[in-house]
Amino acid sequence: MMRIGKLLPSLTNSQGDAENADALVKVLTWYGVDASLVVFEPGSHLESCNVYVLGHVTESDHATAQVHLGLWGAELVGYVSAGSVVLAVGSSLSLLTDVGLLGGVTAVRSERFVGDTVVEAETGLLWGFENSAQTYSCASDESAWGAVLIGSGNGDGTEGVRRRIADGLVLGTHLHGPVLVRNEEIMDEVIRHITKSDKTRVIAPEALRARELARENRAERIAQLRKS
Amino acid sequence: MLRYAPVVAIGRLVRWVARKRKPGGGAAIPGVVVNKLAPGFLGNTLNSFPQGLVVVTGTAGKSTTTRMLAAVVSAHGRRVFTNPSTANIAQGLTSAILAQSSFTGHIDSDIAILEMDEGHAAKLSAEAAPRVSILLNVCVDQVDRFFDPQLVTAMLSRVAQNTSETIVYNGDDASVVDAVAGVAAQKNSFVMGSHLRAQDIDKMGYARVSTAATSMPTVTLQSAEKKLASLEVDGHEVSVSLPSAGIHYGVDAAAALAASRSILGSDFDVALAVSVISALDPVFGRGETITVRGQEIDFVLIQNPTSYRLNLNSMAPNAECVMIAVGSDVRDYSYLWPVHMDHLEKVAIAAGPKAKEVAIHALYGGCVVGLVEPDLNLALEKFLALPTPLDGRKTLVFSADSMRRTRRYFGLAEQEAWS
């Protein structure tokens, strides 16, 4: 049984970021892998999960989220070192730097960026929507997801961060909402990591349809953005 | 006001041309033109009502609260000017005024009760100070437009600071409580009773829930079971029949009662207010049933994640014929993902510019998805062509832009103002 954890969703679900956890459970189920969702709200005891999703935190909730995540910090680092994945979105990148899961530097942007972002990654083009007032500079043991073609991303021409910690994986992005749904390459990377298998056993026809629609939608949106 | 006669004439001409070109549509264009030609017109008109301006603002519940409040104040013998929910930003308000005013731009009403988008309310309140403002809530909504609940709180705070007489505010919403803190105007509040609060506050979608109890609230919503709400108004217990089932309608009724008492003072008749609210129909666009080419269709408007969630949850899970259309007014579909679609078994058609995103969201929610048709007009034809479901009604769920386009396509009138 795979366990997908949602960290502090009541503080972090304003833009549909936390729903990446629900989407992961759904995809695993479509693939014929048993999976369940586990929610960790302030005050809960953190348990071992295969993936943890942490969404963007608004400014007013940032300090509260920092305190609660801080309480789980050591355990979270332990679970990640043992092989878990963390996906962090938007301002929560800075929460991960606080607990040592990311080693780069976050800074406040002079002006908030709101709009579509297109990234050229090794696997092809990634797309998402950003609403971000923060920049990120990767540390030497971290790599970005790719180069920004449209939009803003990390603020230095790259977007995203990927860091391996022992057997674990930390993924950070400024792309809001269902970033894994919109970008199947990242979804597959997470699933490959936790199932330790290169084969994605697609069984359900709705899984194929959802993937195909997402691929078409992304291609159309990128084409529109390139035209404008 | 005579100085505005030429601009009113131009606005009316634009309105006539717009309607000729797009029957049932083009309602906002005259407002855009007039606000450009005479930037002071809107503020001036809003300042001209003898019993002042009342502004209803906040994320969710503006339309219902405004309808309830306008009906109650009107039943107390005041001539009320109000706006439809589709005209709650500056150009829409000006258009609504042009549709009702004399040739000089004068409106023959005692009081204006207007719902306003938070951003426009903050800006307009500096030009036309509200006598009474009603601050409903700060929910997570359209984040790509307002960025952060804190910014919306700052907007409500500006409305509060510009209010000359009374602020009616939601004591359960911490952002609203922050927005009115330290403001000089008199303050009256509405809250949920402790039992209801403990049980259902999470369903309200407030960005932040207040932790401290509000002292001496004007109105307390004690319970809301289906369409029946029990409220305490100044210590008197009353029962109100709500326009539709749902706690949020009960909170809207609490806001409307607290506001009418604040506006009417000693003339306020609680029994009259209760009977007026109990007799109201569901607000335009929500739960409205329209007959198109002999078919009955429920029109359901979604304006934010909260209304999306509440509306989906109020539909029969096995509804056979549901079309969801989301337009380009939703800039980024992400913020609708917190709404879980699993209540519905099937989405027959996903439509509009965001059709694919609707379909993906529904598939991940476990729904069966039929057609995916980004061309709204084509989708509407396909929707009409679907067999009539057993319960006789089809349901059309749409964002505001898709709603306007649908009404236009079916040749249905766009509402302007009523008084």
Side-chain angles (χ1 to χ4, degrees), chain B residues 44-101:
Chain B
N44 219 304
T45 308
L46 297 181
N47 274 322
S48 70
F49 293 89
Q51 293 180 33
L53 166 67
V54 175
V55 170
V56 181
T57 190
T59 316
K62 293 189 283 287
S63 307
T64 310
T65 308
T66 306
R67 277 294 293 280
M68 288 174 173
L69 180 56
V72 170
V73 173
S74 176
H76 281 77
R78 306 319 192 254
R79 290 170 309 156
V80 176
F81 171 72
T82 186
N83 59 332
S85 58
T86 45
N88 70 6
I89 61 171
Q91 50 266 43
L93 284 167
T94 302
S95 295
I97 289 167
L98 289 170
Q100 291 282 312
S101 71

Side-chain angles (χ1 to χ4, degrees), chain A residues 140-194:
Chain A
S140 56
D141 63 341
E142 295 171 349
S143 57
W145 290 9
V148 171
L149 297 185
I150 296 169
S152 175
N154 291 341
D156 60 359
T158 67
E159 158 53 15
V161 50
R162 181 179 281 113
R163 185 188 201 197
R164 286 177 205 287
I165 299 177
D167 292 334
L169 174 66
V170 180
L171 295 168
T173 182
H174 295 92
L175 306 181
H176 279 294
V179 58
L180 298 182
V181 173
R182 289 174 168 176
N183 299 286
E184 59 184 71
E185 300 79 6
I186 310 288
M187 174 77 88
D188 290 348
E189 180 180 356
V190 173
I191 288 178
R192 267 199 312 272
H193 188 95
I194 59 172

